[in-house]
Amino acid sequence: MSAKSTTATGTSATRFPRISFWRTVVAIIFAAGLYSMYARFALGFKLATNLTDPQPWGLWVGLGTLCGVGLSAGGFAIAAAVYLLGLDRYRPILRTSVLISFLGYCTVCVGMLYELGIPWRIWHPIVMWNRHSVLFEVSWCVMLYTTVLALEFSPSLVEKLPWVRVRELYLRWHHSILIALVLAGTLLSSMHQSFLGGLYLITKGRLDPLWYSPYLTTMFYLSAIPAGLAVTIMAIYLCVRSLNARVDMNILSDVSRVIAPLLAIYGVFRVVDLINRDATQYLWMWREATGLFWLEIALLVVVPLVLLNLKKVRENPMYLYWTCAVIVMGFMTNRLNVSITALQTSSAAYYVPKWTEFAASLATITAAAVAFRYAVIYLDILPKNPPRERWLVPSAPAQA
Amino acid sequence: MATTRAILVDITKCIGCRSCEQACKQIHGFPMDTEAKLSPTALTIVEERGDRFVRRMCMHCQEPACASACLVGALKKTAAGPVTYDGSKCIGCRYCLVACPFSVPRYEWTKLVPYVTKCDMCAGRQAKGQAPACVEACPVQASIVGNRDDILEEAERRILNDSKYVKHIYGSEEAGGTSVFFISDVPFEKLGFAAAPKQAMPLLTASALGDGPTVILVGGALLSGLYWITQRRALVALAEAREKSIKERN
């Protein structure tokens, strides 16, 4: 990230962008992504994926949809905190978290096109209703909430328009509907996060007992919020480190103080649920699923709780960044376990995603990351430090 | 639902001649080679399990998981019994494959415009008063078709009158009841039958979906209330500050 930003701001006489490490990486990912796109749409599922009848949903659902949506939960959480609960101290990171969520949902929508067998019928759920289907509710929540996020994010773009009149009219209108938007967004995304867990309620008897629970909905909801906040912290840390953004690091520390109890609640909920369902016997069995369960609990609950309990970690942005990275990895392990590994014993399928599946997902995520970077550079997402070289008088360190 | 049709497969009678397989392939115009597993070109197959032959096909649940899962309603339970698939609605999400407790639906992975495939109990033939092709082709009446109530009665009569049968009709309770039944003299779990939950599958998601309106109402009220408090606090703080400044001026 740092190498890339220095080349971007460097004043060079050449017209071509300089070749840096990260640019090369991004170029390779996009090239692989392009091939995957060709494979998926011109060659078909058989050649582009390792999906089979016993494993009809793979990486694109597990990573693209379940993780994509879950890790985008920061936007609604911060928006609700600022506008509905009046927690004004989080306002400086509001735009960043909304932008992350918006881009996250965009990747989910793009991923959907890869995922659907007949993607040009993606609009069918709008006119063909089956209200007994969890997926129907999920699809409507995605459509509505992506719209809400686009509207929530829109001022950042509109305020850059050169036409004063349009700008004023739009922003006034936006201001008048903002609270309604935030309220709708909070409800929609709460339902949506839960319903993604609800998708797997129908797999009773096939999803491993360590994961299958009538409260899958609640558990998906409870885990999404801390994970979404963790992503927000990571993104802001990177902006500060390499995009010259000016953020009071105490805010991140405050957010981490919210994450810890949320993770603890989630952990307790999982344990109580296992005891209630008499599934504790599976905790000590020597099998792959149990190992993956412990990996997930360690990364998502135990390690972050221990780390966040240390003052040194909470107050050091870099330590905080890596703690959040652990949370995100734990979260991804959970979603991939539910959607892939915990179903494999019963389906007798052994699914390892094809490289094109990885490449397609990675390229979509990378595109979102690149879009995020340019949005932070060119829009007023985060306040920025003035560039050093043009700053003649040495200034006092910024106090936000 | 008295006219709901159902199929009974008596595993003790099946001789493994695969006439049902062939008839199914013929009527659908599929290539005639024998396949080991259900596939887009094999909607029913005969599996060898020890010295028994077990037919696999869609169970045509009374309350199908696939139909409840399908977000566009491409899969439907018809009043006549079959669970049918309307390809023109399908968007290819494959949630039906995830949802089916018997792992029946198949996907055309090799095609560029892929559809879901599964047995439809020859709904078209049955509407014309004909038996499903597989049943018609069976030379030993191992598969029979009839009204669901009569078929269940017949199955019960057989397992009660002959001690060799396992005292269970597979499909009578599985997934809340199906329209395809199996009776056997070998325990079903040894023949590779899925231990499906003994409840109607859509019930599993219905409770979560039923919570939706509650979440919206209660959550909406709660969040509005919180916003009102936030708003009010800000107003009070503003008024207090104003009062204070007026006092100071005086």
Side-chain angles (χ1 to χ4, degrees):
Chain A
M1 216 54 174
S2 64
K4 196 173 165 184
S5 71
T6 45
T7 50
T9 49
T11 50
S12 64
T14 50
R15 253 185 264 164
F16 300 104
R18 226 186 297 161
I19 295 170
S20 71
F21 173 70
W22 285 108
R23 283 197 172 152
T24 319
V25 170
V26 168
I28 293 171
I29 291 176
F30 281 161
L34 268 179
Y35 175 77
S36 309
M37 192 189 283
Y38 164 76
R40 164 65 191 87
F41 295 109
L43 306 177
F45 276 117
K46 184 81 186 165
L47 293 163
T49 71
N50 279 343
L51 294 172
T52 53
D53 290 315
Q55 184 72 53
W57 282 0
L59 191 76
W60 288 342
V61 170
L63 185 73
T65 310
L66 296 188
C67 293
V69 168
L71 295 174
S72 305
F76 95 85
I78 301 280
V82 171
Y83 289 116
L84 302 180
L85 306 183
L87 302 174
D88 257 341
R89 66 174 176 279
Y90 297 122
R91 195 178 285 270
I93 60 168
L94 177 67
R95 281 193 164 191
T96 322
S97 60
V98 168
L99 174 62
I100 295 170
S101 295
F102 176 57
L103 291 172
Y105 271 76
C106 288
T107 66
V108 170
C109 293
V110 171
M112 217 70 98
L113 296 175
Y114 279 80
E115 171 49 33
L116 292 178
I118 312 180
W120 54 93
R121 291 186 183 168
I122 196 166
W123 53 274
H124 274 197
I126 299 174
V127 290
M128 299 171 195
W129 288 24
N130 176 15
R131 274 179 286 176
H132 299 294
S133 167
V134 184
L135 196 57
F136 173 75
E137 307 281 333
V138 168
S139 67
W140 269 88
C141 283
V142 173
M143 286 189 275
L144 293 176
Y145 189 51
T146 309
T147 314
V148 167
L149 279 170
L151 286 172
E152 273 186 35
F153 168 70
S154 62
S156 310
L157 278 176
V158 172
E159 69 193 11
K160 293 285 173 194
L161 290 179
W163 312 294
V164 185
R165 188 95 191 99
V166 176
R167 225 157 58 197
E168 276 182 356
L169 269 177
Y170 184 84
L171 293 178
R172 196 171 303 149
W173 172 75
H174 187 267
H175 188 76
S176 66
I177 60 158
L178 183 58
I179 294 299
L181 271 184
V182 172
L183 199 88
T186 309
L187 291 174
L188 280 171
S189 93
S190 300
M191 297 223 309
H192 182 193
Q193 298 289 354
S194 325
F195 280 151
L196 281 182
L199 285 177
Y200 290 90
L201 287 175
I202 202 116
T203 61
K204 188 178 182 183
R206 283 174 295 137
L207 190 67
D208 192 275
L210 284 175
W211 286 277
Y212 187 88
S213 153
Y215 296 101
L216 263 174
T217 46
T218 321
M219 291 197 279
F220 265 55
Y221 182 58
L222 288 179
S223 54
I225 302 175
L229 292 176
V231 170
T232 311
I233 290 185
M234 290 176 75
I236 290 174
Y237 172 76
L238 289 177
C239 291
V240 169
R241 219 188 74 151
S242 48
L243 294 181
N244 217 12
R246 178 162 50 85
V247 182
D248 179 4
M249 285 299 179
N250 287 327
I251 300 178
L252 299 191
S253 165
D254 281 350
V255 175
S256 77
R257 255 182 273 260
V258 179
I259 292 180
L262 287 174
L263 288 178
I265 292 172
Y266 173 72
V268 171
F269 196 91
R270 284 290 297 266
V271 172
V272 172
D273 174 66
L274 282 173
I275 295 171
N276 262 346
R277 289 186 291 113
D278 257 337
T280 41
Q281 45 179 319
Y282 296 98
L283 287 176
W284 319 111
M285 283 181 183
W286 186 253
R287 36 176 219 147
E288 199 185 310
T290 303
L292 287 166
F293 174 84
W294 283 113
L295 177 72
E296 165 191 328
I297 292 295
L299 291 177
L300 184 53
V301 182
V302 181
V303 174
L305 276 182
V306 170
L307 289 175
L308 288 175
N309 199 34
L310 306 171
K311 197 167 182 223
K312 203 169 125 193
V313 172
R314 280 198 311 267
E315 295 184 352
N316 179 322
M318 194 184 70
Y319 291 165
L320 202 53
Y321 172 83
W322 286 108
T323 309
C324 288
V326 173
I327 297 177
V328 169
M329 279 190 281
F331 177 86
M332 286 166 60
T333 315
N334 170 259
R335 294 307 196 254
L336 292 173
N337 276 343
V338 172
S339 60
I340 297 171
T341 65
L343 280 164
Q344 292 200 327
T345 319
S346 60
S347 68
Y350 193 75
Y351 163 78
V352 177
K354 207 167 193 165
W355 75 267
T356 39
E357 287 179 77
F358 282 110
S361 290
L362 203 59
T364 322
I365 297 165
T366 308
V370 170
F372 177 80
R373 182 172 181 274
Y374 284 108
V376 172
I377 291 176
Y378 293 110
L379 304 175
D380 296 331
I381 305 293
L382 283 166
K384 277 159 225 149
N385 284 322
R388 265 296 145 79
E389 54 265 55
R390 286 184 213 154
W391 197 251
L392 300 173
V393 190
S395 69
Q399 298 279 322
Chain B
M1 296 279 268
T3 53
T4 298
R5 308 288 282 174
I7 291 177
L8 172 65
V9 181
D10 191 335
I11 291 171
T12 63
K13 289 193 173 185
C14 181
I15 53 169
C17 68
R18 298 181 193 276
S19 304
C20 47
E21 258 183 47
Q22 301 296 319
C24 180
K25 281 173 179 279
Q26 198 165 23
I27 209 160
H28 290 99
F30 296 148
M32 296 301 283
D33 11 297
T34 302
E35 288 175 66
K37 285 182 173 168
L38 291 181
S39 83
T41 52
L43 307 183
T44 185
I45 51 125
V46 177
E47 269 179 20
E48 278 186 63
R49 293 271 172 172
D51 52 357
R52 294 289 182 282
F53 300 99
V54 184
R55 193 143 92 81
R56 304 272 176 223
M57 62 189 288
C58 173
M59 298 292 288
H60 299 280
C61 306
Q62 292 291 85
E63 291 180 60
C66 58
S68 85
C70 181
L71 77 167
V72 289
L75 289 153
K76 282 249 159 58
K77 175 76 178 177
T78 57
V83 176
T84 57
Y85 169 69
D86 178 358
S88 68
K89 286 184 171 178
C90 183
I91 63 174
C93 72
R94 311 188 296 287
Y95 189 30
C96 48
L97 276 79
V98 174
C100 177
F102 304 106
S103 310
V104 165
R106 290 292 180 264
Y107 202 60
E108 298 177 319
W109 299 105
T110 49
K111 297 201 177 162
L112 273 181
V113 185
Y115 288 96
V116 173
T117 60
K118 72 170 205 60
C119 154
D120 68 346
M121 220 202 245
C122 288
R125 281 172 60 95
Q126 293 218 60
K128 286 186 272 174
Q130 290 169 296
C134 56
V135 173
E136 200 178 74
C138 185
V140 291
Q141 275 82 51
S143 297
I144 57 170
V145 68
N147 288 341
R148 191 172 184 270
D149 295 343
D150 302 341
I151 282 289
L152 256 179
E153 227 169 81
E154 171 65 17
E156 243 161 63
R157 199 184 56 74
R158 286 190 198 177
I159 63 171
L160 288 179
N161 290 348
D162 196 335
S163 58
K164 74 179 175 188
Y165 283 107
V166 174
K167 297 286 173 270
H168 177 59
I169 304 169
Y170 189 89
S172 59
E173 294 171 332
E174 279 72 15
T178 63
S179 299
V180 173
F181 303 109
F182 288 86
I183 51 175
S184 161
D185 54 347
V186 177
F188 289 104
E189 58 274 15
K190 283 190 187 155
L191 297 176
F193 280 87
K198 296 199 171 14
Q199 71 191 99
M201 305 297 284
L203 291 177
L204 293 167
T205 46
S207 65
L209 287 173
D211 289 343
T214 322
V215 167
I216 291 187
L217 282 176
V218 175
L222 200 75
L223 290 174
S224 315
L226 285 170
Y227 172 63
W228 183 79
I229 293 172
T230 304
Q231 183 85 327
R232 168 117 187 107
R233 260 202 202 147
L235 284 176
V236 168
L238 196 72
E240 272 174 358
R242 199 173 292 154
E243 242 169 59
K244 206 174 158 193
S245 71
I246 290 171
K247 257 182 211 168
E248 272 165 12
R249 221 177 290 160
N250 296 341

